[in-house]
Amino acid sequence: MTVAEFVVVANRLPVDRIVGPDGEESWRTSPGGLVAALEPMMQSMHGAWVGWPGQADLELEPFEADGIQLVPVPLSEQEVADYYEGFSNDTIWPLYHDVIAPPQYHREWWDAYVTVNRRFAQAAAAAAAPDGTVWVHDYQLQLVPQMVRELRPDVTIGYFHHIPFPAHGLYAQLPWRDHVLRGLLGADVIGFQRVQDATYFLTAVRRRLRYEVKGPTVAVPAGEDGAVRTAVARAFPISIDTAPYLELAARPDVRARAAEIRASLGNPSRILLGVDRLDYTKGIGHRIKAYGELLAEGRLHVEDVTLVQVASPSRERVDAYVHLRDEIELAVGRINGDTDTMGHTAIRYLHQGYPREEMVALYLAADVMLVTALRDGMNLVAKEYIATRADNRGVLVLSEFTGAADELRQAVRVNPHDIEGLKDAIMTAVEMPAAEQGRRMRALRRRVLENDVNTWSSSFLAALADVRER
Ligand code: G6P
């Protein structure tokens, strides 16, 4: 039986399944930023992580990996379809990203969401020590805070929302809008990426539930005698664990790999890079369109530039993602067909995921990083790129519609919907003199290195401790 002072609850467990040469299975913590941020605390407090192991119908006993207790929550095939692919990724995801794709509202998906959220809440409630802390993560689990509170009124509950929260006019579409708000308000602290997300949430709370809201605090009715408790909703912009990026970027073998990548692309004078999950929120199509027009108009030449687009496979059974893939691959094929020569390619498109070493080598090879998301909670790729640029060279083109844009003011900012503006921004980046690159990159690096993921988690947990004291 797992009992921990500190319990993290997230849709996915932070582990990868390793199958050895003889077919034996083991698990290793995956190198994501969230685990890295929480690992020291998880290890010292003997913390537990409640999550889905990522495969349908896999029933596993709690186990330990790298000093963290892992509590697997099983999902059936049907629940993967209805709770994960359905409600989480075909209802909430598109709605919260400003309906870039139309959200689907299905009552059976909602029912599965409630059932699965309850399962996560029960696992968390069972794992938390008396007066312990439970920290719930992201949009797949918005009902868990209130469910945990009902099961375990003694614990302190935090919730962090990694994606955007939409304006009230859009949020109001959700048939279960009041349930979701009440679910989130079960937490003592509700964290968002941007000030704007927190503001939209507080507006929804005021308008839908008519609770009293003062600054970041909400008076949440608790019990029947008119008693209230305080919940705080505010921004805590997330970041990356910078250390491994700095280390890898300095490693001779990684630097050699960057040179090798450059050479294998025919040593173009400028390498442009896009790195995204293949998701319609990322504006990959807009980026490719702008780049293709620059080539067609002769403002860029295929002998001089290459766009490397890493589009890692994601949510491949959700219709909107299936269509997106077809659309992107058609566009890439057209542009390459029209402009490639035997020795040079316009777009090197990679529908694959890569280990961190290879990503850092790519960042080092890239003169220009293109982040053109139509809507993005934060965008950590932008911060990863910056962290690796120890020589203060390189240019970040960054969409205004990312959480990162609030912090990374010295990037070349773009509205990705404005294709002419995007083309001009790409040209500005390609032609930017070294001195200006240095001036901007130094400021960007200062920001990213000072506000890393440890700053993020400690400020969130400090806010949680503060509410608990009250
Ligand atoms: C976003 C979400 C995460 C999610 C990740 C990958 O970053 O905020 O909660 O885990 O995408 O998506 P997936 O559906 O594969 O977990």
Side-chain angles (χ1 to χ4, degrees):
M1 185 69 201
T2 306
V3 178
E5 290 296 326
F6 184 70
V7 179
V8 168
V9 192
N11 178 52
R12 284 181 188 274
L13 281 179
V15 286
D16 295 322
R17 184 155 150 264
I18 321 268
V19 182
D22 318 324
E24 84 281 12
E25 274 189 10
S26 63
W27 298 83
R28 202 172 44 205
T29 49
S30 43
L34 192 57
V35 213
L38 302 176
E39 207 165 33
M41 188 170 50
M42 297 289 279
Q43 286 165 348
S44 67
M45 295 175 83
H46 207 50
W49 190 304
V50 174
W52 173 48
Q55 232 175 287
D57 292 317
L58 186 59
E59 303 246 5
L60 295 173
E61 288 303 312
F63 61 104
E64 203 177 299
D66 300 333
I68 302 177
Q69 308 178 70
L70 300 168
V71 182
V73 175
L75 296 181
S76 68
E77 194 76 61
Q78 191 64 46
E79 285 167 344
V80 172
D82 292 348
Y83 148 79
Y84 169 71
E85 289 162 348
F87 198 79
S88 296
N89 289 317
D90 214 4
T91 304
I92 295 291
W93 181 270
L95 177 65
Y96 284 25
H97 287 86
D98 291 356
V99 303
I100 296 166
Q104 311 292 325
Y105 302 113
H106 296 299
R107 286 162 287 183
E108 59 279 22
W109 289 2
W110 165 253
D111 293 342
Y113 188 77
V114 175
T115 303
V116 170
N117 271 241
R118 185 156 296 122
R119 189 173 307 145
F120 276 83
Q122 281 162 347
D131 299 314
T133 297
V134 172
W135 191 1
V136 183
H137 289 267
D138 227 358
Y139 65 100
Q140 304 92 343
L141 301 175
Q142 294 173 101
L143 307 178
V144 170
Q146 179 56 24
M147 289 172 168
V148 171
R149 181 168 293 280
E150 281 161 18
L151 294 165
R152 289 291 305 275
D154 59 303
V155 303
T156 305
I157 304 167
Y159 171 88
F160 188 76
H161 194 74
H162 292 252
I163 70 170
F165 195 87
H168 185 252
L170 290 175
Y171 183 72
Q173 286 186 11
L174 186 66
W176 307 279
R177 55 202 182 181
D178 295 358
H179 290 79
V180 168
L181 294 176
R182 286 201 197 91
L184 292 168
L185 285 168
D188 296 291
V189 175
I190 304 144
F192 294 92
Q193 301 283 24
R194 308 178 93 160
V195 172
Q196 189 184 56
D197 299 316
T199 306
Y200 285 157
F201 171 74
L202 290 165
T203 304
V205 167
R206 201 162 9 84
R207 297 198 32 194
R208 305 247 26 108
L209 303 180
R210 311 236 161 252
Y211 293 172
E212 193 188 335
V213 175
K214 266 198 206 130
T217 67
V218 184
V220 184
E224 264 131 58
D225 50 356
V228 292
R229 62 175 184 85
T230 300
V232 171
R234 65 174 187 85
F236 300 87
I238 202 169
S239 191
I240 57 165
D241 181 22
T242 52
Y245 289 93
L246 298 177
E247 256 163 54
L248 285 169
R251 236 167 64 182
D253 58 323
V254 178
R255 304 191 68 82
R257 175 66 190 142
E260 194 178 285
I261 290 172
R262 259 205 119 81
S264 70
L265 294 169
N267 280 314
S269 78
R270 289 286 182 273
I271 295 175
L272 317 184
L273 176 64
V275 174
D276 312 85
R277 275 185 312 101
L278 186 49
D279 194 297
Y280 50 79
T281 58
K282 303 291 184 182
I284 301 170
H286 295 63
R287 181 186 313 165
I288 287 175
K289 186 182 184 79
Y291 176 69
E293 287 187 15
L294 289 171
L295 288 168
E297 290 162 10
R299 289 169 77 185
L300 291 176
H301 300 281
V302 73
E303 296 79 22
D304 306 329
V305 290
T306 295
L307 168 60
V308 177
Q309 176 63 54
V310 175
S312 53
S314 186
R315 306 174 190 166
E316 291 186 279
R317 297 200 305 186
V318 179
D319 280 351
Y321 291 75
V322 175
H323 295 140
L324 174 76
R325 182 171 177 194
D326 288 345
E327 218 175 85
I328 298 297
E329 294 182 355
L330 180 68
V332 169
R334 286 241 166 102
I335 292 172
N336 282 346
D338 286 344
T339 48
D340 281 8
T341 62
M342 287 301 170
H344 296 275
T345 188
I347 306 174
R348 180 62 58 88
Y349 168 78
L350 303 150
H351 184 243
Q352 292 159 56
Y354 292 95
R356 185 138 71 186
E357 278 88 342
E358 182 72 354
M359 292 316 303
V360 171
L362 262 173
Y363 291 146
L364 289 175
D367 303 287
V368 175
M369 181 80 214
L370 298 174
V371 176
T372 58
L374 307 176
R375 182 51 84 193
D376 207 336
M378 175 51 65
N379 197 285
L380 294 176
V381 162
K383 294 187 173 180
E384 290 173 4
Y385 178 69
I386 291 168
T388 63
R389 309 302 298 187
D391 63 357
N392 294 315
R393 295 292 291 271
V395 185
L396 173 66
V397 174
L398 180 62
S399 162
E400 293 166 26
F401 301 107
T402 61
D406 280 13
E407 295 175 76
L408 304 179
R409 313 297 304 184
Q410 295 79 9
V412 175
R413 298 166 71 83
V414 285
N415 167 6
H417 297 282
D418 170 12
I419 299 295
E420 286 308 320
L422 182 50
K423 286 158 70 179
D424 291 344
I426 293 174
M427 291 311 297
T428 301
V430 164
E431 291 166 351
M432 189 178 287
E436 189 181 346
Q437 292 182 32
R439 188 176 54 71
R440 290 177 185 248
M441 191 54 79
R442 262 188 294 278
L444 291 168
R445 286 178 61 76
R446 212 175 303 124
R447 173 80 205 187
V448 171
L449 298 182
E450 278 169 15
N451 293 280
D452 65 359
V453 77
N454 295 311
T455 321
W456 169 78
S457 58
S458 29
S459 68
F460 185 91
L461 293 171
L464 204 53
D466 197 46
V467 174
R468 160 178 263 192
E469 260 167 44
R470 275 194 253 163

